[in-house]
Amino acid sequence: MTSRKTPEARRAEAARRRAKRVAARQHREGRGRWHWDFDGVLYLVVGCVAIAFGCWLARDVYYLQTRGEVVPATVLDRSNGKNEHIEVRYTTKAGATIEDSTANFVDATVGGTIDVVYDPREPTRMQATDWGFDYVLPGIVGAFGVGFLVYAPTHFRGRAGHR
C-alpha cells in the first residue's frame, strides 16, 4: 500500500527544497565577496608603519656601519630611569663640535670618555661603539609589520554569517 502526499504537502516539500537551494547559493556568493572592515584597514596601517620604522632603523645601522667614523666623546650627563640615555660632546673630523644624546650605549660614566661612531653626512646620527651594529631590532620590527600585513586581508574577505 502506497501513501500519496497531498498537494499541500508536495508544495510545502518543494518550498523547503527551494529555500534550501537559495540559502546555499547565498552562502556561496557571500563567502567570496570583499568588503571594507575597520580592523583590516587598521592592521594594514599598523603593518605599513612597522615596516617603515624597521627600514628606518636598519638604514641608520647601515650608514653607521658603512661610512661611520669613530671619535672620542666626553659624557656630559647620564639619565637613569626607564629611558636611560647619555648626553655626549664630540668633535667631528671636519672640526664641528656636536652635543647630542643617545640611548645606544653599554657603559658610560659622567665626565668619562667613550668612543662614538657618527655619520659624516649627518653628524647627529651616532651611537657608542660598544653598542654593536646588528639588525636584530629592525628585523623584529619588520617581521611584526609583515605579520600584520599577512593577517590583514583575512578581514576583507566575506565570511558566512558576516555581512
Side-chain angles (χ1 to χ4, degrees):
M1 180 169 184
T2 60
S3 70
R4 293 188 166 223
K5 293 185 181 179
T6 64
E8 293 83 23
R10 282 190 300 238
R11 280 193 291 269
E13 180 72 27
R16 281 193 297 272
R17 285 193 307 262
R18 200 171 25 257
K20 191 174 180 179
R21 282 193 310 268
V22 168
R25 184 177 59 238
Q26 287 174 343
H27 176 73
R28 282 191 309 272
E29 289 173 355
R31 227 182 0 190
R33 294 188 185 199
W34 291 87
H35 67 279
W36 286 103
D37 186 72
F38 177 75
D39 292 344
V41 173
L42 183 66
Y43 292 143
L44 283 176
V45 169
V46 168
C48 290
V49 168
I51 288 174
F53 185 60
C55 290
W56 179 73
L57 291 172
R59 179 198 66 161
D60 281 354
V61 171
Y62 174 77
Y63 286 157
L64 290 175
Q65 277 182 338
T66 57
R67 62 183 185 214
E69 295 182 0
V70 178
V71 294
T74 303
V75 180
L76 304 174
D77 190 24
R78 180 174 180 161
S79 167
N80 293 326
K82 187 174 181 180
N83 297 324
E84 188 175 21
H85 65 277
I86 56 172
E87 296 279 333
V88 295
R89 180 186 312 127
Y90 58 95
T91 303
T92 65
K93 293 189 177 179
T97 301
I98 308 289
E99 283 189 25
D100 203 358
S101 65
T102 183
N104 298 344
F105 70 97
V106 174
D107 189 34
T109 57
V110 176
T113 302
I114 62 169
D115 287 334
V116 296
V117 60
Y118 73 94
D119 181 2
R121 294 185 191 167
E122 190 177 326
T124 56
R125 178 183 294 136
M126 64 90 181
Q127 71 178 33
T129 56
D130 62 0
W131 183 251
F133 301 102
D134 58 1
Y135 291 95
V136 173
L137 182 60
I140 290 171
V141 172
F144 178 75
V146 168
F148 270 94
L149 287 182
V150 168
Y151 184 64
T154 64
H155 286 270
F156 295 118
R157 193 86 166 138
R159 296 183 296 273
H162 180 72
R163 301 224 191 279

PDB file of all heavy atoms in Angstrom, residues 126-157:
ATOM      1  N   MET A 126      74.513  59.031  15.540  1.00  0.00           N
ATOM      2  CA  MET A 126      75.673  58.428  16.207  1.00  0.00           C
ATOM      3  C   MET A 126      75.230  57.467  17.280  1.00  0.00           C
ATOM      4  O   MET A 126      74.077  57.446  17.681  1.00  0.00           O
ATOM      5  CB  MET A 126      76.582  59.503  16.784  1.00  0.00           C
ATOM      6  CG  MET A 126      75.982  60.340  17.869  1.00  0.00           C
ATOM      7  SD  MET A 126      76.256  59.632  19.486  1.00  0.00           S
ATOM      8  CE  MET A 126      75.408  60.824  20.480  1.00  0.00           C
ATOM      9  N   GLN A 127      76.183  56.672  17.738  1.00  0.00           N
ATOM     10  CA  GLN A 127      75.990  55.775  18.871  1.00  0.00           C
ATOM     11  C   GLN A 127      77.354  55.416  19.428  1.00  0.00           C
ATOM     12  O   GLN A 127      78.370  55.634  18.790  1.00  0.00           O
ATOM     13  CB  GLN A 127      75.234  54.509  18.467  1.00  0.00           C
ATOM     14  CG  GLN A 127      76.041  53.560  17.615  1.00  0.00           C
ATOM     15  CD  GLN A 127      75.270  52.298  17.286  1.00  0.00           C
ATOM     16  OE1 GLN A 127      74.064  52.316  17.143  1.00  0.00           O
ATOM     17  NE2 GLN A 127      75.986  51.202  17.172  1.00  0.00           N
ATOM     18  N   ALA A 128      77.359  54.868  20.641  1.00  0.00           N
ATOM     19  CA  ALA A 128      78.610  54.415  21.242  1.00  0.00           C
ATOM     20  C   ALA A 128      79.099  53.170  20.497  1.00  0.00           C
ATOM     21  O   ALA A 128      78.306  52.356  20.040  1.00  0.00           O
ATOM     22  CB  ALA A 128      78.405  54.101  22.720  1.00  0.00           C
ATOM     23  N   THR A 129      80.409  53.041  20.364  1.00  0.00           N
ATOM     24  CA  THR A 129      80.953  51.896  19.626  1.00  0.00           C
ATOM     25  C   THR A 129      80.756  50.582  20.371  1.00  0.00           C
ATOM     26  O   THR A 129      80.766  49.527  19.750  1.00  0.00           O
ATOM     27  CB  THR A 129      82.457  52.088  19.341  1.00  0.00           C
ATOM     28  OG1 THR A 129      83.133  52.306  20.582  1.00  0.00           O
ATOM     29  CG2 THR A 129      82.687  53.240  18.400  1.00  0.00           C
ATOM     30  N   ASP A 130      80.566  50.625  21.690  1.00  0.00           N
ATOM     31  CA  ASP A 130      80.362  49.375  22.424  1.00  0.00           C
ATOM     32  C   ASP A 130      78.945  48.821  22.272  1.00  0.00           C
ATOM     33  O   ASP A 130      78.638  47.736  22.740  1.00  0.00           O
ATOM     34  CB  ASP A 130      80.707  49.549  23.907  1.00  0.00           C
ATOM     35  CG  ASP A 130      79.835  50.583  24.618  1.00  0.00           C
ATOM     36  OD1 ASP A 130      78.950  51.186  23.962  1.00  0.00           O
ATOM     37  OD2 ASP A 130      80.048  50.793  25.817  1.00  0.00           O
ATOM     38  N   TRP A 131      78.062  49.536  21.606  1.00  0.00           N
ATOM     39  CA  TRP A 131      76.678  49.100  21.433  1.00  0.00           C
ATOM     40  C   TRP A 131      76.557  47.969  20.418  1.00  0.00           C
ATOM     41  O   TRP A 131      75.775  47.069  20.564  1.00  0.00           O
ATOM     42  CB  TRP A 131      75.817  50.290  21.006  1.00  0.00           C
ATOM     43  CG  TRP A 131      74.374  49.953  20.868  1.00  0.00           C
ATOM     44  CD1 TRP A 131      73.657  49.850  19.705  1.00  0.00           C
ATOM     45  CD2 TRP A 131      73.440  49.690  21.911  1.00  0.00           C
ATOM     46  NE1 TRP A 131      72.361  49.536  19.967  1.00  0.00           N
ATOM     47  CE2 TRP A 131      72.192  49.430  21.323  1.00  0.00           C
ATOM     48  CE3 TRP A 131      73.534  49.638  23.292  1.00  0.00           C
ATOM     49  CZ2 TRP A 131      71.053  49.132  22.064  1.00  0.00           C
ATOM     50  CZ3 TRP A 131      72.407  49.344  24.024  1.00  0.00           C
ATOM     51  CH2 TRP A 131      71.185  49.090  23.412  1.00  0.00           C
ATOM     52  N   GLY A 132      77.335  48.018  19.351  1.00  0.00           N
ATOM     53  CA  GLY A 132      77.274  46.979  18.322  1.00  0.00           C
ATOM     54  C   GLY A 132      76.413  47.406  17.146  1.00  0.00           C
ATOM     55  O   GLY A 132      75.621  48.326  17.230  1.00  0.00           O
ATOM     56  N   PHE A 133      76.629  46.710  16.051  1.00  0.00           N
ATOM     57  CA  PHE A 133      75.903  47.029  14.817  1.00  0.00           C
ATOM     58  C   PHE A 133      75.152  45.788  14.360  1.00  0.00           C
ATOM     59  O   PHE A 133      75.627  45.013  13.565  1.00  0.00           O
ATOM     60  CB  PHE A 133      76.878  47.458  13.714  1.00  0.00           C
ATOM     61  CG  PHE A 133      77.687  48.648  14.071  1.00  0.00           C
ATOM     62  CD1 PHE A 133      79.005  48.513  14.470  1.00  0.00           C
ATOM     63  CD2 PHE A 133      77.141  49.906  14.011  1.00  0.00           C
ATOM     64  CE1 PHE A 133      79.758  49.613  14.801  1.00  0.00           C
ATOM     65  CE2 PHE A 133      77.886  51.016  14.341  1.00  0.00           C
ATOM     66  CZ  PHE A 133      79.201  50.871  14.736  1.00  0.00           C
ATOM     67  N   ASP A 134      73.963  45.590  14.874  1.00  0.00           N
ATOM     68  CA  ASP A 134      73.204  44.430  14.438  1.00  0.00           C
ATOM     69  C   ASP A 134      71.827  44.864  13.956  1.00  0.00           C
ATOM     70  O   ASP A 134      71.360  45.954  14.230  1.00  0.00           O
ATOM     71  CB  ASP A 134      73.079  43.381  15.542  1.00  0.00           C
ATOM     72  CG  ASP A 134      72.419  43.911  16.798  1.00  0.00           C
ATOM     73  OD1 ASP A 134      72.041  45.098  16.819  1.00  0.00           O
ATOM     74  OD2 ASP A 134      72.293  43.144  17.758  1.00  0.00           O
ATOM     75  N   TYR A 135      71.217  43.978  13.209  1.00  0.00           N
ATOM     76  CA  TYR A 135      69.918  44.257  12.617  1.00  0.00           C
ATOM     77  C   TYR A 135      68.800  43.517  13.351  1.00  0.00           C
ATOM     78  O   TYR A 135      67.749  43.268  12.785  1.00  0.00           O
ATOM     79  CB  TYR A 135      69.930  43.854  11.143  1.00  0.00           C
ATOM     80  CG  TYR A 135      70.803  44.742  10.302  1.00  0.00           C
ATOM     81  CD1 TYR A 135      72.121  44.399  10.023  1.00  0.00           C
ATOM     82  CD2 TYR A 135      70.310  45.933   9.795  1.00  0.00           C
ATOM     83  CE1 TYR A 135      72.920  45.218   9.253  1.00  0.00           C
ATOM     84  CE2 TYR A 135      71.104  46.757   9.026  1.00  0.00           C
ATOM     85  CZ  TYR A 135      72.408  46.398   8.754  1.00  0.00           C
ATOM     86  OH  TYR A 135      73.189  47.215   7.993  1.00  0.00           O
ATOM     87  N   VAL A 136      69.010  43.179  14.619  1.00  0.00           N
ATOM     88  CA  VAL A 136      68.013  42.421  15.364  1.00  0.00           C
ATOM     89  C   VAL A 136      66.745  43.256  15.568  1.00  0.00           C
ATOM     90  O   VAL A 136      65.634  42.809  15.233  1.00  0.00           O
ATOM     91  CB  VAL A 136      68.571  41.936  16.719  1.00  0.00           C
ATOM     92  CG1 VAL A 136      67.481  41.308  17.566  1.00  0.00           C
ATOM     93  CG2 VAL A 136      69.704  40.955  16.496  1.00  0.00           C
ATOM     94  N   LEU A 137      66.874  44.448  16.114  1.00  0.00           N
ATOM     95  CA  LEU A 137      65.692  45.280  16.360  1.00  0.00           C
ATOM     96  C   LEU A 137      64.975  45.646  15.060  1.00  0.00           C
ATOM     97  O   LEU A 137      63.751  45.484  14.974  1.00  0.00           O
ATOM     98  CB  LEU A 137      66.056  46.536  17.152  1.00  0.00           C
ATOM     99  CG  LEU A 137      64.890  47.452  17.501  1.00  0.00           C
ATOM    100  CD1 LEU A 137      63.861  46.711  18.354  1.00  0.00           C
ATOM    101  CD2 LEU A 137      65.380  48.694  18.214  1.00  0.00           C
ATOM    102  N   PRO A 138      65.684  46.104  14.011  1.00  0.00           N
ATOM    103  CA  PRO A 138      64.963  46.359  12.758  1.00  0.00           C
ATOM    104  C   PRO A 138      64.290  45.108  12.205  1.00  0.00           C
ATOM    105  O   PRO A 138      63.187  45.176  11.660  1.00  0.00           O
ATOM    106  CB  PRO A 138      66.058  46.849  11.802  1.00  0.00           C
ATOM    107  CG  PRO A 138      67.126  47.370  12.668  1.00  0.00           C
ATOM    108  CD  PRO A 138      67.079  46.551  13.926  1.00  0.00           C
ATOM    109  N   GLY A 139      64.924  43.953  12.376  1.00  0.00           N
ATOM    110  CA  GLY A 139      64.320  42.709  11.898  1.00  0.00           C
ATOM    111  C   GLY A 139      63.066  42.341  12.652  1.00  0.00           C
ATOM    112  O   GLY A 139      62.075  41.899  12.065  1.00  0.00           O
ATOM    113  N   ILE A 140      63.074  42.519  13.960  1.00  0.00           N
ATOM    114  CA  ILE A 140      61.893  42.210  14.771  1.00  0.00           C
ATOM    115  C   ILE A 140      60.742  43.148  14.412  1.00  0.00           C
ATOM    116  O   ILE A 140      59.596  42.716  14.236  1.00  0.00           O
ATOM    117  CB  ILE A 140      62.227  42.299  16.275  1.00  0.00           C
ATOM    118  CG1 ILE A 140      63.149  41.148  16.672  1.00  0.00           C
ATOM    119  CG2 ILE A 140      60.961  42.293  17.117  1.00  0.00           C
ATOM    120  CD1 ILE A 140      63.706  41.253  18.075  1.00  0.00           C
ATOM    121  N   VAL A 141      61.047  44.436  14.294  1.00  0.00           N
ATOM    122  CA  VAL A 141      60.005  45.406  13.950  1.00  0.00           C
ATOM    123  C   VAL A 141      59.451  45.118  12.554  1.00  0.00           C
ATOM    124  O   VAL A 141      58.235  45.147  12.328  1.00  0.00           O
ATOM    125  CB  VAL A 141      60.548  46.850  14.046  1.00  0.00           C
ATOM    126  CG1 VAL A 141      59.559  47.857  13.510  1.00  0.00           C
ATOM    127  CG2 VAL A 141      60.913  47.183  15.481  1.00  0.00           C
ATOM    128  N   GLY A 142      60.333  44.803  11.606  1.00  0.00           N
ATOM    129  CA  GLY A 142      59.884  44.479  10.249  1.00  0.00           C
ATOM    130  C   GLY A 142      59.048  43.212  10.209  1.00  0.00           C
ATOM    131  O   GLY A 142      58.037  43.145   9.500  1.00  0.00           O
ATOM    132  N   ALA A 143      59.450  42.182  10.946  1.00  0.00           N
ATOM    133  CA  ALA A 143      58.677  40.933  10.985  1.00  0.00           C
ATOM    134  C   ALA A 143      57.296  41.165  11.603  1.00  0.00           C
ATOM    135  O   ALA A 143      56.301  40.585  11.159  1.00  0.00           O
ATOM    136  CB  ALA A 143      59.436  39.873  11.769  1.00  0.00           C
ATOM    137  N   PHE A 144      57.242  42.013  12.606  1.00  0.00           N
ATOM    138  CA  PHE A 144      55.972  42.386  13.224  1.00  0.00           C
ATOM    139  C   PHE A 144      55.053  43.014  12.167  1.00  0.00           C
ATOM    140  O   PHE A 144      53.877  42.671  12.059  1.00  0.00           O
ATOM    141  CB  PHE A 144      56.274  43.361  14.365  1.00  0.00           C
ATOM    142  CG  PHE A 144      55.093  43.897  15.091  1.00  0.00           C
ATOM    143  CD1 PHE A 144      54.386  43.112  15.989  1.00  0.00           C
ATOM    144  CD2 PHE A 144      54.692  45.213  14.916  1.00  0.00           C
ATOM    145  CE1 PHE A 144      53.299  43.615  16.678  1.00  0.00           C
ATOM    146  CE2 PHE A 144      53.610  45.736  15.597  1.00  0.00           C
ATOM    147  CZ  PHE A 144      52.910  44.927  16.485  1.00  0.00           C
ATOM    148  N   GLY A 145      55.620  43.924  11.369  1.00  0.00           N
ATOM    149  CA  GLY A 145      54.840  44.576  10.310  1.00  0.00           C
ATOM    150  C   GLY A 145      54.386  43.610   9.238  1.00  0.00           C
ATOM    151  O   GLY A 145      53.243  43.669   8.777  1.00  0.00           O
ATOM    152  N   VAL A 146      55.259  42.695   8.834  1.00  0.00           N
ATOM    153  CA  VAL A 146      54.889  41.701   7.827  1.00  0.00           C
ATOM    154  C   VAL A 146      53.765  40.814   8.355  1.00  0.00           C
ATOM    155  O   VAL A 146      52.828  40.470   7.625  1.00  0.00           O
ATOM    156  CB  VAL A 146      56.117  40.862   7.403  1.00  0.00           C
ATOM    157  CG1 VAL A 146      55.707  39.656   6.583  1.00  0.00           C
ATOM    158  CG2 VAL A 146      57.095  41.727   6.621  1.00  0.00           C
ATOM    159  N   GLY A 147      53.828  40.451   9.622  1.00  0.00           N
ATOM    160  CA  GLY A 147      52.762  39.646  10.208  1.00  0.00           C
ATOM    161  C   GLY A 147      51.413  40.342  10.133  1.00  0.00           C
ATOM    162  O   GLY A 147      50.400  39.723   9.804  1.00  0.00           O
ATOM    163  N   PHE A 148      51.392  41.633  10.421  1.00  0.00           N
ATOM    164  CA  PHE A 148      50.141  42.378  10.325  1.00  0.00           C
ATOM    165  C   PHE A 148      49.656  42.459   8.878  1.00  0.00           C
ATOM    166  O   PHE A 148      48.466  42.352   8.603  1.00  0.00           O
ATOM    167  CB  PHE A 148      50.304  43.795  10.899  1.00  0.00           C
ATOM    168  CG  PHE A 148      49.988  43.868  12.359  1.00  0.00           C
ATOM    169  CD1 PHE A 148      50.998  43.757  13.296  1.00  0.00           C
ATOM    170  CD2 PHE A 148      48.699  44.038  12.801  1.00  0.00           C
ATOM    171  CE1 PHE A 148      50.722  43.813  14.645  1.00  0.00           C
ATOM    172  CE2 PHE A 148      48.400  44.105  14.151  1.00  0.00           C
ATOM    173  CZ  PHE A 148      49.416  43.993  15.074  1.00  0.00           C
ATOM    174  N   LEU A 149      50.592  42.641   7.922  1.00  0.00           N
ATOM    175  CA  LEU A 149      50.183  42.718   6.525  1.00  0.00           C
ATOM    176  C   LEU A 149      49.653  41.381   6.013  1.00  0.00           C
ATOM    177  O   LEU A 149      48.765  41.352   5.165  1.00  0.00           O
ATOM    178  CB  LEU A 149      51.358  43.172   5.651  1.00  0.00           C
ATOM    179  CG  LEU A 149      51.746  44.630   5.776  1.00  0.00           C
ATOM    180  CD1 LEU A 149      52.884  44.961   4.812  1.00  0.00           C
ATOM    181  CD2 LEU A 149      50.572  45.551   5.519  1.00  0.00           C
ATOM    182  N   VAL A 150      50.189  40.286   6.512  1.00  0.00           N
ATOM    183  CA  VAL A 150      49.702  38.968   6.100  1.00  0.00           C
ATOM    184  C   VAL A 150      48.324  38.699   6.706  1.00  0.00           C
ATOM    185  O   VAL A 150      47.458  38.104   6.062  1.00  0.00           O
ATOM    186  CB  VAL A 150      50.708  37.868   6.509  1.00  0.00           C
ATOM    187  CG1 VAL A 150      50.128  36.491   6.373  1.00  0.00           C
ATOM    188  CG2 VAL A 150      51.980  37.998   5.681  1.00  0.00           C
ATOM    189  N   TYR A 151      48.105  39.135   7.911  1.00  0.00           N
ATOM    190  CA  TYR A 151      46.841  38.886   8.613  1.00  0.00           C
ATOM    191  C   TYR A 151      45.713  39.802   8.137  1.00  0.00           C
ATOM    192  O   TYR A 151      44.546  39.411   8.168  1.00  0.00           O
ATOM    193  CB  TYR A 151      47.057  39.036  10.121  1.00  0.00           C
ATOM    194  CG  TYR A 151      45.851  38.723  10.950  1.00  0.00           C
ATOM    195  CD1 TYR A 151      45.306  37.452  10.969  1.00  0.00           C
ATOM    196  CD2 TYR A 151      45.238  39.703  11.726  1.00  0.00           C
ATOM    197  CE1 TYR A 151      44.195  37.153  11.739  1.00  0.00           C
ATOM    198  CE2 TYR A 151      44.128  39.420  12.498  1.00  0.00           C
ATOM    199  CZ  TYR A 151      43.608  38.142  12.495  1.00  0.00           C
ATOM    200  OH  TYR A 151      42.515  37.862  13.250  1.00  0.00           O
ATOM    201  N   ALA A 152      46.025  41.006   7.701  1.00  0.00           N
ATOM    202  CA  ALA A 152      45.008  42.000   7.352  1.00  0.00           C
ATOM    203  C   ALA A 152      44.015  41.530   6.289  1.00  0.00           C
ATOM    204  O   ALA A 152      42.808  41.753   6.446  1.00  0.00           O
ATOM    205  CB  ALA A 152      45.673  43.300   6.920  1.00  0.00           C
ATOM    206  N   PRO A 153      44.428  40.890   5.196  1.00  0.00           N
ATOM    207  CA  PRO A 153      43.448  40.513   4.163  1.00  0.00           C
ATOM    208  C   PRO A 153      42.368  39.550   4.639  1.00  0.00           C
ATOM    209  O   PRO A 153      41.303  39.481   4.037  1.00  0.00           O
ATOM    210  CB  PRO A 153      44.301  39.853   3.076  1.00  0.00           C
ATOM    211  CG  PRO A 153      45.650  40.420   3.255  1.00  0.00           C
ATOM    212  CD  PRO A 153      45.791  40.647   4.733  1.00  0.00           C
ATOM    213  N   THR A 154      42.607  38.834   5.713  1.00  0.00           N
ATOM    214  CA  THR A 154      41.573  37.924   6.213  1.00  0.00           C
ATOM    215  C   THR A 154      40.355  38.686   6.702  1.00  0.00           C
ATOM    216  O   THR A 154      39.276  38.111   6.796  1.00  0.00           O
ATOM    217  CB  THR A 154      42.108  37.040   7.356  1.00  0.00           C
ATOM    218  OG1 THR A 154      42.464  37.866   8.470  1.00  0.00           O
ATOM    219  CG2 THR A 154      43.309  36.228   6.909  1.00  0.00           C
ATOM    220  N   HIS A 155      40.507  39.975   6.978  1.00  0.00           N
ATOM    221  CA  HIS A 155      39.370  40.778   7.440  1.00  0.00           C
ATOM    222  C   HIS A 155      38.595  41.413   6.296  1.00  0.00           C
ATOM    223  O   HIS A 155      37.543  42.001   6.523  1.00  0.00           O
ATOM    224  CB  HIS A 155      39.855  41.869   8.402  1.00  0.00           C
ATOM    225  CG  HIS A 155      40.232  41.332   9.723  1.00  0.00           C
ATOM    226  ND1 HIS A 155      39.347  41.213  10.749  1.00  0.00           N
ATOM    227  CD2 HIS A 155      41.396  40.820  10.182  1.00  0.00           C
ATOM    228  CE1 HIS A 155      39.940  40.667  11.789  1.00  0.00           C
ATOM    229  NE2 HIS A 155      41.188  40.423  11.463  1.00  0.00           N
ATOM    230  N   PHE A 156      39.096  41.301   5.074  1.00  0.00           N
ATOM    231  CA  PHE A 156      38.399  41.881   3.928  1.00  0.00           C
ATOM    232  C   PHE A 156      37.604  40.844   3.158  1.00  0.00           C
ATOM    233  O   PHE A 156      36.825  41.178   2.303  1.00  0.00           O
ATOM    234  CB  PHE A 156      39.389  42.557   2.976  1.00  0.00           C
ATOM    235  CG  PHE A 156      40.069  43.735   3.585  1.00  0.00           C
ATOM    236  CD1 PHE A 156      41.435  43.758   3.762  1.00  0.00           C
ATOM    237  CD2 PHE A 156      39.337  44.834   4.005  1.00  0.00           C
ATOM    238  CE1 PHE A 156      42.066  44.848   4.317  1.00  0.00           C
ATOM    239  CE2 PHE A 156      39.966  45.917   4.581  1.00  0.00           C
ATOM    240  CZ  PHE A 156      41.320  45.929   4.725  1.00  0.00           C
ATOM    241  N   ARG A 157      37.795  39.601   3.444  1.00  0.00           N
ATOM    242  CA  ARG A 157      37.121  38.528   2.735  1.00  0.00           C
ATOM    243  C   ARG A 157      35.800  38.238   3.437  1.00  0.00           C
ATOM    244  O   ARG A 157      35.746  38.161   4.660  1.00  0.00           O
ATOM    245  CB  ARG A 157      38.016  37.282   2.766  1.00  0.00           C
ATOM    246  CG  ARG A 157      37.586  36.225   1.844  1.00  0.00           C
ATOM    247  CD  ARG A 157      38.175  36.495   0.491  1.00  0.00           C
ATOM    248  NE  ARG A 157      38.012  35.263  -0.267  1.00  0.00           N
ATOM    249  CZ  ARG A 157      37.639  35.247  -1.499  1.00  0.00           C
ATOM    250  NH1 ARG A 157      37.452  36.364  -2.144  1.00  0.00           N
ATOM    251  NH2 ARG A 157      37.499  34.114  -2.134  1.00  0.00           N
TER     252      ARG A 157
END
